[in-house]
Amino acid sequence: MTSRHEREPEDTRAGDYAALAAVGPYGVRPGHALITMVEPHPGHEYAYNRWYEDDHYYAGAMAMPWMYAGRRWVATRDLQELRYPEKSAVARPVTAGCYLSTYWVTEGRYDEHMKWTVGINKRLNRDGRVYQDRTHVFTAFQDHEATVYRDGAAGPRDFHALDHPYAGLVLQVVDAEGPERRAELLEWLRSRALPRRLHGSPAAMVTVFRPTPLPGDRMTYVKQVEGVDERLTLLWFLEADPRTCWDRFQGLDAEVAESGLGRVELVAPFIPTVPGTDRYVDRLR
């Protein structure tokens, strides 16, 4: 019988793990996020879903250091058709990107995580474990700026959001009218617009992030992030299916435009996938 020790690779640098665990921040706050919206190529929907759920979600995400929570979401065709504005700087056409994955990264651990993620994705690509028949519509690592809660101190916190069984999510992307206006836009959202929208709504919280540039040694199939100086990314976590309450999310573009601080480039509803299944794959087109 082969012992556990004999089955291990010759060099895993196991001794380094104890040293690394003893240094640096290790809180539970989502200081950073990976938000990635992807479109499988026509005819590859089932194969893409199985690759992502059976391999990449784990090997390319959750097994990596400091990425401590994740959730996948899907937009069936009827959900895609609810999106606006029709001319989006994020999704072209606006229906592009039927799968969304969201991940939390421990606050203060962005650099360490990025070192690992670049390295592991190069290895996965070299080993033929990257599915090529897909397009990254909107993929960015992001820094956390704010979380606004509907119920104050009651209910799940933002660090629970990807584990709590929320029934839906709305992705909203807002661009400020220039880099110098983003802080003002953020403050208006945090103190006025979001509390007003959340009151009495099925959304329990909104997390607000700002994108960061991808590293120069990223994989070539992921394009560099646009709008890093002006953009804010909002995730609305819903306690109801977005189709049953979509009226509550109408007019977000007009509201931002009227503020004079920015413009909405995407409002897109999603529902959670069911891990380990192909549910909804036949309803994407």
Side-chain angles (χ1 to χ4, degrees):
M1 178 181 292
T2 304
S3 71
R4 181 186 63 82
H5 180 74
E6 292 172 334
R7 291 197 302 268
E8 290 178 348
E10 291 184 2
D11 181 14
T12 63
R13 303 186 186 180
D16 293 344
Y17 286 83
L20 291 171
V23 298
Y26 66 118
V28 301
R29 295 300 305 278
H32 321 276
L34 170 60
I35 301 171
T36 174
M37 187 167 69
V38 172
E39 180 74 12
H41 296 172
H44 292 265
E45 295 85 357
Y46 281 93
Y48 167 78
N49 189 55
R50 289 274 46 85
W51 164 76
Y52 202 102
E53 292 225 332
D54 296 345
D55 190 13
H56 198 63
Y57 178 83
Y58 301 102
M62 294 305 299
M64 290 195 279
W66 307 114
M67 183 170 273
Y68 69 89
R71 192 101 184 256
R72 285 189 80 214
W73 313 84
V74 61
T76 53
R77 188 64 189 179
D78 57 338
L79 287 165
Q80 295 166 36
E81 291 172 350
L82 295 175
R83 296 179 180 181
Y84 67 91
E86 184 178 355
K87 294 185 180 300
S88 167
V90 175
R92 306 181 186 94
V94 71
T95 53
C98 55
Y99 281 106
L100 179 72
S101 296
T102 52
Y103 302 97
W104 292 166
V105 176
T106 301
E107 185 174 30
R109 289 296 192 170
Y110 178 82
D111 292 340
E112 293 92 328
H113 178 76
M114 289 305 297
K115 290 287 187 182
W116 190 287
T117 193
V118 170
I120 200 64
N121 277 287
K122 287 182 177 180
R123 182 181 181 186
L124 291 169
N125 194 65
R126 183 181 67 241
D127 292 347
R129 288 174 63 181
V130 174
Y131 198 85
Q132 301 295 343
D133 290 298
R134 57 177 172 145
T135 298
H136 281 266
V137 177
F138 178 68
T139 293
F141 281 88
Q142 316 228 4
D143 286 343
H144 180 257
E145 288 287 350
T147 300
V148 182
Y149 296 100
R150 181 192 60 202
D151 303 325
R157 302 292 86 191
D158 50 13
F159 47 87
H160 300 125
L162 301 184
D163 295 307
H164 188 77
Y166 285 113
L169 177 140
V170 174
L171 168 69
Q172 180 184 2
V173 180
V174 186
D175 285 351
E177 293 296 344
E180 71 284 352
R181 305 296 300 276
R182 183 164 65 178
E184 188 179 357
L185 172 64
L186 172 62
E187 182 55 32
W188 173 78
L189 287 167
R190 175 167 45 195
S191 63
R192 297 177 59 189
L194 296 181
R196 185 170 58 243
R197 283 270 178 173
L198 283 169
H199 180 71
S201 83
M205 74 178 80
V206 184
T207 57
V208 185
F209 295 88
R210 59 176 176 84
T212 60
L214 289 170
D217 54 353
R218 71 190 185 281
M219 302 309 297
T220 56
Y221 50 78
V222 182
K223 67 180 181 179
Q224 187 53 270
V225 179
E226 299 173 346
V228 293
D229 295 323
E230 299 93 14
R231 184 158 289 173
L232 293 172
T233 305
L234 288 69
L235 301 177
W236 299 70
F237 290 91
L238 311 185
E239 295 173 329
D241 187 309
R243 287 166 291 205
T244 68
C245 56
W246 193 238
D247 59 313
R248 300 298 297 253
F249 295 92
Q250 297 292 339
L252 289 171
D253 52 347
E255 182 179 37
V256 173
E258 288 168 6
S259 75
L261 298 172
R263 62 193 179 279
V264 168
E265 292 293 355
L266 183 65
V267 180
F270 293 84
I271 56 176
T273 62
V274 180
T277 77
D278 289 319
R279 190 176 298 181
Y280 307 120
V281 177
D282 60 347
R283 295 167 55 188
L284 302 178
R285 310 298 182 196

